[in-house]
Amino acid sequence: MSSSSGKTYPTLAESLSNQLIKYHLRQWGFVIIRTTYSSEAKWTEFLAVVNDCIRSWPLRPENDAHWHDLYDKHGMTVLQDAATLSEANLSLTARVFTDWITSPEAQAEREGTKISDRWMFSPRYHFYIHADEATVEQVLDQHAKRKAAPEDRLYLRFRFLYENENLLTVRIVSGSQVMSHQREIIKEQGPDANTDVIEEEEDEYELLDMVKRVRILGIPDLYSVLGDSLDRWYNIYTEGGVCQV
């Protein structure tokens, strides 16, 4: 893509591909923490919809064939445990995510890469998807409407998807921001403070530093943007409660 000055800039797909090469990363993608266990069938369908949306992205004219090279490197790591994570709030999922970052699984992912610890470069070790029941139900409801388009009119399905993309969203969380906020609460209120009420207590703008609602179609773009600079998390424009990336 070129600017009016004639300077050429990489597309988001090229930028993400360059990040993987630069840091010797074998995969990309946000970790998903599952907090709903009411239906295994719905959960399986939800994951399929997320994957389908990401794979649909190259159909957009402003993107290019680079996404095809990235498909095989997209990882959908799911952290799940019905006994401990059912209806879990942000405080708990942030702790689970923080523990996962230093787990043998995550350390094995980083072996042979240029990411020596969780604070370096990759969005995968800073942000995660908090998948609760409301999110799953909303996504599946919109997906059902999309599927209602005639089978032989595939373009209608994708047109519906694009026109209703603000309804196909997930919540992406900054684990470090939630953990930092928990420490602030404990500092102010003492060791017995209740840190499980973050969402109820915070105003909209303060909460945005910790969690953002993001279009599923925008997940690759967001990942690429954050891969260029993790600090861009704080400058993402939000409209109608949904990040515009």
Side-chain angles (χ1 to χ4, degrees):
M1 162 171 81
S2 299
S3 68
S4 58
S5 64
K7 184 177 180 179
T8 300
Y9 296 95
T11 66
L12 288 169
E14 290 172 328
S15 179
L16 178 53
S17 180
N18 291 340
Q19 292 164 25
L20 296 179
I21 294 170
K22 179 178 180 180
Y23 299 116
H24 300 174
L25 303 177
R26 292 181 290 274
Q27 65 177 316
W28 67 277
F30 296 111
V31 169
I32 301 173
I33 300 185
R34 178 184 181 182
T35 71
T36 174
Y37 297 86
S38 59
S39 171
E40 200 64 33
K42 287 185 177 181
W43 177 253
T44 300
E45 185 179 3
F46 168 75
L47 292 180
V49 171
V50 172
N51 188 57
D52 179 52
C53 286
I54 291 174
R55 293 185 67 86
S56 300
W57 188 250
L59 295 177
R60 289 202 167 206
E62 66 267 29
N63 286 277
D64 52 44
H66 277 264
W67 283 123
H68 295 282
D69 298 329
L70 295 171
Y71 284 154
D72 291 339
K73 294 183 178 180
H74 177 248
M76 291 184 65
T77 301
V78 177
L79 305 183
Q80 56 186 336
D81 181 5
T84 60
L85 287 172
S86 182
E87 300 183 0
N89 54 32
L90 291 181
S91 296
L92 178 54
T93 57
R95 290 195 292 270
V96 168
F97 178 67
T98 301
D99 289 342
W100 175 82
I101 293 170
T102 56
S103 69
E105 176 187 1
Q107 290 176 1
E109 285 185 4
R110 298 193 291 269
E111 287 184 6
T113 73
K114 291 186 176 180
I115 296 180
S116 60
D117 60 53
R118 61 178 173 169
W119 303 116
M120 293 180 66
F121 310 117
S122 177
R124 183 170 175 82
Y125 307 109
H126 291 263
F127 308 96
Y128 65 93
I129 295 174
H130 178 103
D132 55 20
E133 185 156 5
T135 296
V136 170
E137 291 290 344
Q138 176 204 46
V139 168
L140 294 186
D141 178 64
Q142 293 303 314
H143 181 62
K145 293 177 181 177
R146 172 195 173 198
K147 288 169 63 178
E151 287 287 345
D152 61 342
R153 306 281 297 281
L154 185 61
Y155 76 94
L156 287 178
R157 288 189 174 189
F158 288 109
R159 188 182 72 180
F160 177 88
L161 180 62
Y162 298 147
E163 290 176 349
N164 295 274
E165 59 184 327
N166 276 354
L167 301 178
L168 282 164
T169 62
V170 293
R171 302 170 74 200
I172 294 185
V173 182
S174 168
S176 60
Q177 281 296 310
V178 173
M179 295 297 288
S180 176
H181 191 73
Q182 288 177 349
R183 290 191 292 270
E184 285 297 318
I185 292 176
I186 292 172
K187 182 179 178 180
E188 293 176 1
Q189 302 180 20
D192 296 328
N194 181 7
T195 61
D196 293 336
V197 292
I198 289 177
E199 293 181 84
E200 290 79 3
E201 289 189 345
E202 302 309 315
D203 62 41
E204 175 184 357
Y205 296 104
E206 206 164 3
L207 189 60
L208 273 175
D209 281 348
M210 291 182 274
V211 56
K212 302 183 190 297
R213 187 163 290 281
V214 178
R215 297 169 297 171
I216 298 176
L217 279 172
I219 286 176
D221 278 356
L222 177 64
Y223 198 95
S224 179
V225 165
L226 294 174
D228 283 335
S229 173
L230 296 173
D231 287 339
R232 294 183 70 177
W233 169 260
Y234 305 104
N235 301 314
I236 297 172
Y237 174 68
T238 300
E239 181 177 320
V242 178
C243 295
Q244 306 299 306
V245 289

